[in-house]
Amino acid sequence: MQVWLARAGVLLGAGLAAAAMTTPAGASNAQPGTGSAYAVDAHVSLLPGVLGSHALAVQTGPLAASNTAGPKSASTVDATLKGLVSAKVLTSSSKHNSDGTVESTASTTQAALPLLRGVAGATPTASVISAQCKATANGITGSSDLADLNLGKIGHVSAATPNLKLEVPGVVQVIANEQIHNADGSLTVNALDIKLLGGKLLNAVGSGRIVISSATCAAATTVPITPSSPPASTGPTNPPSSAPSTAPTGPSSAPTNPSGPTSQPSSAPTSSGPAAPAPSSESATPAPPQTVVIPVGAPQTGDGSLASVVVR
């Protein structure tokens, strides 16, 4: 995160505000079979008096971010962007499945938006703010969940309608279940997109953008991505080929020795039995988890409270 301070009355982050209103992170040049997600991303320039006597610009980058190329999942607990957003748990995941489908999800639980307190009349809160998308052979779909979201005077939003907008003119615009069809064919779903409009009204906050829970999916692939399945199918072909070879020898020896046939069938199943389970044991290869730790005081949050990211 980068933070700039300036004297009161100086306009900050004009370029930052312009960039914040464009394509979200991770949504450009997406190749088929790829996806990404993150829990929170903030790019804002705040006016003097919002979080102190000085103007303030904050750029966090995606928090608890995941990608189909890795890390495929991430989680963070007790995340606080001081004065902007707080949340109990931030999670995201992105998967390219063996059937070629792509799934991305992002969730922010027990969230609060103290930044909008002056506009909403009280601090807006929500128990769950989540976004998800899935790409299959039939196309890409997405949805959001805004459980118990209370925006106070700003208005009531519902996740049932894509791209539902609420606006306080010149102050803030809130888009719920925002669905963006990118030029590369991918779909980005932002559960909550908060745009500060930079006006000069009494309750003006600043300019920029805060996205909470974002998921992006590119097109699905038609070819399975796991090459380990064909060897498993070749395993059962060996026992049938060996069984007939032993069976004919049994009848030819039957007239000469009555006790011979009883011993030979008993040896045939024992030779074919151990050969079958061998391929299944080779396919079990568990992947070890990876852990990335963000040290206390790191600049990912306003007060350094973001503790750790666990990746699987």
Side-chain angles (χ1 to χ4, degrees):
M1 181 182 73
Q2 297 175 336
V3 178
W4 298 272
L5 295 176
R7 294 179 180 177
V10 178
L11 295 178
L12 285 178
L16 173 63
M21 308 299 282
T22 58
T23 305
S28 61
N29 300 323
Q31 299 298 316
T34 62
S36 61
Y38 60 85
V40 175
D41 193 358
H43 300 258
V44 296
S45 296
L46 304 179
L47 296 176
V50 176
L51 291 182
S53 59
H54 299 282
L56 178 67
V58 179
Q59 181 176 359
T60 66
L63 301 180
S66 61
N67 194 291
T68 49
K72 296 182 179 181
S73 65
S75 63
T76 301
V77 296
D78 296 327
T80 302
L81 302 176
K82 190 174 183 180
L84 299 178
V85 181
S86 66
K88 186 66 176 178
V89 181
L90 307 178
T91 61
S92 75
S93 67
S94 299
K95 299 183 294 182
H96 184 196
N97 299 313
S98 60
D99 59 359
T101 60
V102 178
E103 294 180 89
S104 294
T105 63
S107 178
T108 304
T109 64
Q110 302 300 318
L113 300 168
L115 177 66
L116 300 180
R117 181 182 304 166
V119 183
T123 300
T125 58
S127 59
V128 176
I129 301 176
S130 65
Q132 45 273 330
C133 61
K134 184 172 183 178
T136 67
N138 296 324
I140 310 175
T141 57
S143 62
S144 299
D145 184 14
L146 303 170
D148 304 320
L149 177 62
N150 184 1
L151 293 176
K153 296 179 180 179
I154 298 176
H156 175 72
V157 298
S158 171
T161 304
N163 301 307
L164 180 63
K165 296 181 181 179
L166 294 177
E167 183 172 342
V168 177
V171 179
V172 64
Q173 181 186 77
V174 178
I175 306 176
N177 191 18
E178 183 179 39
Q179 302 201 10
I180 303 172
H181 295 272
N182 303 300
D184 56 21
S186 62
L187 173 67
T188 295
V189 181
N190 298 322
L192 206 61
D193 189 349
I194 303 167
K195 299 179 180 180
L196 306 181
L197 304 180
K200 297 182 179 180
L201 300 180
L202 178 62
N203 291 328
V205 177
S207 59
R209 184 183 188 189
I210 301 175
V211 176
I212 302 179
S213 297
S214 177
T216 297
C217 292
T221 56
T222 56
V223 180
I225 61 173
T226 51
S228 59
S229 55
S233 62
T234 59
T237 59
N238 288 331
S241 61
S242 61
S245 62
T246 57
T249 59
S252 61
S253 59
T256 57
N257 188 3
S259 62
T262 58
S263 60
Q264 288 183 351
S266 63
S267 60
T270 55
S271 60
S272 59
S280 60
S281 61
E282 296 176 358
S283 60
T285 55
Q290 299 176 349
T291 302
V292 178
V293 177
I294 299 177
V296 176
Q300 272 79 359
T301 65
D303 59 0
S305 61
L306 188 59
S308 65
V309 177
V310 178
V311 179
R312 288 183 173 84

